[in-house]
Amino acid sequence: MTDDIRMLLTREADLFEGSRARLQAIAYRLLGSAGDAEDAVQETYLRWQAADREHVETPEAWLTKVLTNLCLNQLTSARARRETYVGQWLPEPVLAGSAMLGPADTVEQRESVSIAMLTLMERLTAKERVVYVLREAFGYPHHEIAELLDITDANCQQIYRRAKQHLSTERARIEVDGAAARRIVAEFLAAAVSGRTDTLVTLLTDDASIIGDGGEFVATLNRPLVGAERVARFVRLAIKPSNGTWDKLGKPEMFAAVANGMPALVLVSEDRVVGILVLHVTVDGIAAVHGHANPDKLGYANRQWAGYTPGAPLPELW
């Protein structure tokens, strides 16, 4: 291999690596799965390596279009898989510090990666999701999105308006850092083990909901529960030390963290994340509790945890 060819390959690899974080962030918002997002970005890289560069005028646009088409195909097949999914399906949680969560400069960008919003986006068609994500989270103009999807500018704007209507929310969420997350999670945990349902109810919104995703591996709720009283009663019973589920999870240590921009209770047993409870906190209180226990969907979080520096564990229940 000549030095010129080696330099060319290095330059083209560097160009892709400069786009990797943005591509990961787009793919995660489109797919709701960190693992699938990594696969889509890797496939985009393989196609970039095989592409005829002479016909690539704008590498960024080319890479985005390839990734978007891969995600569109993935979304179609994912819908079919979720029809046979055991229990409730939730997006894969991602701890703070991952490139998949960026950009996060605006409220809209931060909201687009919350578990609550990623779950809501399941209501959208694949094309609506692409238009919404590229416009709302990445600020792409309509004419560029239209070109990526081979549709008209007017059609793109119509799809965006429709997606916005499907995803309209009334409550503003709050912004949290590590310290705030620890305080909120500790308060939630203390209320849950207090033995008083009303103590926990005060932390929840009236229409609070809870969803559990354990796949076929861990028994969780078979449907969402809605209403502060119902959620509080379930959490109080579920978190009891005598609950057999804790034995199955190895009586894990509990840590406070930030996942998808929200406070999270991370359960760790033998240095492995075995569960993540994400609290969707709004200005009115905790509006949703999302429990993740499917080991197939905690792989990325475990890779993050291996290099994570958590604070001290929360008080043990057992």
Side-chain angles (χ1 to χ4, degrees):
M1 182 184 295
T2 66
D3 289 342
D4 288 343
I5 294 177
R6 187 177 292 107
M7 289 177 60
L8 176 62
L9 293 175
T10 300
R11 185 165 62 248
E12 291 177 346
D14 289 345
L15 191 153
F16 181 87
E17 289 305 319
S19 298
R20 183 181 289 274
R22 179 179 59 84
L23 296 174
Q24 285 183 332
I26 292 173
Y28 176 63
R29 284 166 170 80
L30 291 181
L31 301 174
S33 165
D36 289 346
E38 287 182 316
D39 290 344
V41 172
Q42 183 61 23
E43 179 61 28
T44 301
Y45 174 65
L46 295 176
R47 297 193 182 193
W48 169 248
Q49 285 187 312
D52 182 353
R53 304 298 197 285
E54 292 183 1
H55 294 89
V56 178
E57 295 183 6
T58 310
E60 180 179 321
W62 188 94
L63 292 170
T64 304
K65 182 162 188 171
V66 169
L67 178 80
T68 298
N69 286 328
L70 288 169
C71 289
L72 280 170
N73 292 335
Q74 183 87 322
L75 281 169
T76 302
S77 61
R79 288 185 188 280
R81 292 198 306 273
R82 286 168 197 165
E83 289 178 2
T84 59
Y85 189 81
V86 177
Q88 298 294 308
W89 182 92
L90 282 174
E92 188 176 342
V94 174
L95 300 174
S98 171
M100 291 192 187
L101 299 178
D105 298 325
T106 68
V107 173
E108 291 77 16
Q109 288 172 336
R110 294 189 291 274
E111 177 67 25
S112 70
V113 82
S114 71
I115 294 293
M117 181 57 74
L118 290 171
T119 303
L120 277 177
M121 281 198 275
E122 290 295 306
R123 301 177 181 179
L124 305 180
T125 66
K127 193 167 288 186
E128 284 174 345
R129 189 162 182 166
V130 169
V131 171
Y132 179 82
V133 165
L134 292 181
R135 178 63 180 162
E136 195 79 357
F138 295 89
Y140 278 72
H142 283 294
H143 69 88
E144 288 188 18
I145 302 174
E147 187 174 341
L148 288 172
L149 296 176
D150 296 321
I151 59 178
T152 65
D153 195 328
N155 190 13
C156 183
Q157 293 184 46
Q158 184 181 40
I159 292 172
Y160 175 67
R161 284 194 297 270
R162 191 162 62 237
K164 288 271 285 187
Q165 289 171 355
H166 288 317
L167 299 176
S168 60
T169 56
E170 296 178 0
R171 291 191 182 94
R173 70 176 198 155
I174 67 168
E175 303 297 329
V176 297
D177 57 15
R182 184 175 179 85
R183 175 180 56 78
I184 293 169
V185 170
E187 186 178 15
F188 176 83
L189 190 58
V193 300
S194 68
R196 295 177 55 86
T197 301
D198 56 346
T199 303
L200 188 53
V201 167
T202 60
L203 301 180
L204 306 171
T205 62
D206 291 341
D207 59 350
S209 62
I210 184 168
I211 302 175
D213 181 350
E216 61 183 301
F217 303 97
V218 181
T220 58
L221 289 164
N222 56 13
R223 69 184 189 283
L225 287 180
V226 179
E229 286 282 351
R230 297 180 72 193
V231 171
R233 284 198 300 270
F234 176 82
V235 169
R236 187 169 62 83
L237 291 173
I239 211 156
K240 278 186 174 181
S242 58
N243 190 319
T245 300
W246 296 118
D247 293 324
K248 295 177 183 177
L249 294 177
K251 291 186 176 180
E253 284 189 298
M254 298 185 176
F255 296 87
V258 179
N260 295 78
M262 288 281 100
L265 177 64
V266 181
L267 311 176
V268 180
S269 178
E270 297 180 353
D271 296 324
R272 285 194 61 77
V273 175
V274 295
I276 298 179
L277 203 68
V278 182
L279 308 178
H280 185 71
V281 185
T282 71
V283 293
D284 298 322
I286 299 172
V289 179
H290 298 111
H292 307 262
N294 184 344
D296 284 349
K297 295 166 74 173
L298 293 173
Y300 187 80
N302 265 295
R303 295 200 298 277
Q304 285 188 278
W305 194 258
Y308 215 67
T309 307
L314 296 165
E316 290 188 0
L317 303 180
W318 359 99

